[in-house]
Amino acid sequence: MGDRVADKIALVTGAAAGLGRAIALRLSEEGASLVVADLDAAGLAETERQIKAKGRPVMAIAVDVTEEAPVKALFAAIFKAHGRLDILVNDVGGGTSGHIWEAKVEDWDFILRLNLRSAFLCTREAAAHMRERRYGRIINLSSGAREGTPWTAYYVGNSAYSAAKAGIHGFTRGVALELAEYGVTVNAVAPGPIETEKTAPSFRKLEPLEYGPVRATPLRRIGVPADIANAVLYLASDEANYITGTTLAVAGGR
């Protein structure tokens, strides 16, 4: 247990599993009071249980952050309970569309909505509040896919996800410039190949392939959720108070 974000109020979306859960746990370990949000109520309850098991405060809210009204209700609940929000982590994302010649319009729209609209809606609510307080940390999850992922492109295709995460990169830069004069920093973390309970099986299949993730990563290993959680913690802490508008690649050198 540490104090790098002691007494801060932090909201992590997409916290029901994987990177979102790891980020929430890491911020909690360093002193933050957590609000965790996700559409997966069962997974969210498990994240809440793990945080409470360490004696740390947490509030779990099952919500669809791609919709405007639920996002407004989420922030209203946070302000009612805590009176403020110091840290926002937009972790919600994902989705697959297949190769471009077979991709469906509905998959394209869903992926952009999941990754970009959710970040926009949550950031808009947080920004209005943080601007008034002249303090805040916003961290978005981009991806190495923003520049194309070789193993995905060659074997399954997912240009919609690459487009969405490139959008997060640009969104982060633009919002950072808008909020800079108010003392609010906005950054992104761009994970490379990270092994979670969801991605592990696919990585095992890709390992022996010519363009697989291990061979394409200079450090010759797949990352773990703690690698991303530590990067988010750094950007959320006062150690990074002169960093804004930056996308930090946590991708083993890829």
Side-chain angles (χ1 to χ4, degrees):
M1 304 294 286
D3 61 359
R4 293 168 70 188
V5 287
D7 302 319
K8 303 298 185 185
I9 309 299
L11 167 62
V12 179
T13 70
L19 297 184
R21 177 180 288 169
I23 291 165
L25 287 166
R26 190 73 184 95
L27 292 175
S28 178
E29 289 171 353
E30 290 290 333
S33 294
L34 264 293
V35 180
V36 291
D38 203 295
L39 196 57
D40 177 3
L44 197 62
E46 174 58 21
T47 301
E48 180 184 27
R49 185 197 67 77
Q50 290 187 29
I51 293 174
K52 285 184 174 179
K54 296 187 177 184
R56 297 297 305 156
V58 59
M59 180 169 68
I61 301 177
V63 60
D64 181 356
V65 293
T66 68
E67 294 289 349
E68 186 172 23
V71 168
K72 286 185 176 295
L74 166 65
F75 277 80
I78 293 170
F79 297 145
K80 181 178 180 180
H82 296 288
R84 72 182 201 277
L85 180 68
D86 302 300
I87 300 164
L88 166 64
V89 181
N90 287 309
D91 176 69
V92 166
T96 57
S97 61
H99 287 112
I100 190 62
W101 56 87
E102 61 187 1
K104 299 177 181 178
V105 169
E106 55 265 34
D107 291 336
W108 174 275
D109 289 344
F110 170 77
I111 290 169
L112 265 63
R113 182 185 184 89
L114 182 65
N115 291 270
L116 278 173
R117 195 169 196 251
S118 62
F120 157 67
L121 289 172
C122 291
T123 298
R124 184 179 64 174
E125 297 302 312
H129 168 73
M130 292 174 175
R131 176 175 172 267
E132 288 187 2
R133 291 184 60 223
R134 303 188 72 86
Y135 178 85
R137 301 283 185 265
I138 299 173
I139 301 104
N140 302 314
L141 268 292
S142 182
S143 170
R146 74 194 186 282
E147 297 177 345
T149 303
W151 54 90
T152 300
Y154 281 107
Y155 300 116
V156 296
N158 198 5
S159 58
Y161 183 72
S162 292
K165 291 308 187 182
I168 289 290
H169 173 76
F171 176 72
T172 297
R173 181 66 180 165
V175 176
L177 294 174
E178 292 180 21
L179 291 175
E181 66 178 295
Y182 303 103
V184 179
T185 66
V186 187
N187 293 290
V189 171
I194 304 295
E195 184 170 314
T196 66
E197 59 267 36
K198 183 177 180 180
T199 63
S202 61
F203 281 141
R204 296 288 79 77
K205 293 178 182 178
L206 290 170
E207 274 185 3
L209 300 178
E210 181 180 0
Y211 297 105
V214 174
R215 295 186 185 187
T217 301
L219 284 183
R220 290 294 189 269
R221 73 171 178 89
I222 294 174
V224 296
D227 295 320
I228 306 306
N230 286 332
V232 171
L233 170 64
Y234 168 64
L235 292 173
S237 75
D238 288 341
E239 296 163 18
N241 61 13
Y242 198 55
I243 299 173
T244 196
T246 293
T247 295
L248 175 60
V250 185
R254 193 179 74 80

